[in-house]
Amino acid sequence: MTSIAIVGAGPGLGAAVARRFGREGFGVGLVARDRARLGLITDGLAGEGITARGFSADVRRPEELAAALRDLADALGTVEVLQYSPVPHRDFMQPVLDTGHRDLVGPIEFSVYGPVAAVQQVLPGMRRLGRGTILFVNGGSAAVPHPERAGTSIAFAAESAYGHLLHERLAGEGIHVAQLVIPGAITVGHARKDPDALADTLWRVHRERHGFRHYADDLDS
């Protein structure tokens, strides 16, 4: 069995993606800080017949994240799909003129160091498989910087650049790297931004394997 690792898994998008890929036969590994919440999600997935395990890690601690992903692969099989989609902290979203250099430490740890640590951990396994998918999920400021959300705008730009470089470099090895930009809030019942609709979109990106940046909805939505 191969697995999907969902970094930043929660009861909304993370659980929806877990169900979507789990139905396709993937072992599901959920990575987040809150061990109790992970337990609730994995119990719910088990009730649907999906093999799922939770692994506790803080994405701002690269060694801790790498260790969780190593344990995940040992428990569930080689990571074939990595989704990096933690929700940024509210204090990352300050106006640009109020943002000093120390205010960028958290966003950069969250959106650059975390993804790099995760990719470096799972990439050798994908190379051994000869296939893989790396999915970055970001808010709208990844595409259009927002002056009131400077930390995430700056850090998402760096994460986007990293993802695009990986997309170019790894395509020839059968490893597809893509980004899904979700403008505005994930909204239950929304035709395109409901968690289940987004999970279907991410499954489609994984299967169709073309292009780097994809949009869940119009940027002004």
Side-chain angles (χ1 to χ4, degrees), residues 23 28 33 36 56 65 73 78 81 87 89 100 110 127-128 131-132 136 140 143 170 176 182 189 202 206 209 219:
R23 289 199 303 268
V28 175
R33 289 184 302 166
S56 179
L65 177 57
T78 301
V81 180
V87 178
H89 301 190
F110 195 88
R127 282 175 155 157
R128 286 193 296 271
R131 65 183 187 277
F136 296 101
L170 293 173
H176 182 57
I182 306 173
L202 287 160
H206 162 66
R209 312 182 73 74
L219 280 173

Side-chain angles (χ1 to χ4, degrees), residues 17-19 23 29 33 46 50 59 83 101 106 113 116 125 132 146 157 170 182 194 205 214 216 218-219:
V17 172
R19 287 192 297 270
R23 289 199 303 268
R33 289 184 302 166
I50 294 170
V59 300
Q83 176 175 306
H101 66 280
Y113 296 171
V116 172
H146 196 297
L170 293 173
I182 306 173
D194 178 88
V205 171
H214 303 262
D218 299 332
L219 280 173

Side-chain angles (χ1 to χ4, degrees), residues 39-131:
L40 291 173
I41 298 170
T42 54
D43 287 349
L45 293 168
E48 299 177 43
I50 294 170
T51 300
R53 291 274 303 274
F55 301 84
S56 179
D58 185 341
V59 300
R60 293 176 62 179
R61 297 179 177 175
E63 293 81 7
E64 188 176 292
L65 177 57
L69 289 168
R70 184 170 58 249
D71 292 344
L72 187 158
D74 288 344
L76 295 167
T78 301
V79 175
E80 182 179 344
V81 180
L82 169 67
Q83 176 175 306
Y84 192 86
S85 54
V87 178
H89 301 190
R90 289 190 178 275
D91 61 3
F92 294 172
M93 303 181 197
Q94 303 297 323
V96 64
L97 297 181
D98 297 334
T99 300
H101 66 280
R102 290 187 178 85
D103 297 314
L104 295 176
V105 172
I108 294 299
E109 288 176 339
F110 195 88
S111 295
V112 181
Y113 296 171
V116 172
V119 169
Q120 289 293 310
Q121 181 60 41
V122 303
L123 187 55
M126 291 182 179
R127 282 175 155 157
R128 286 193 296 271
L129 286 174
R131 65 183 187 277

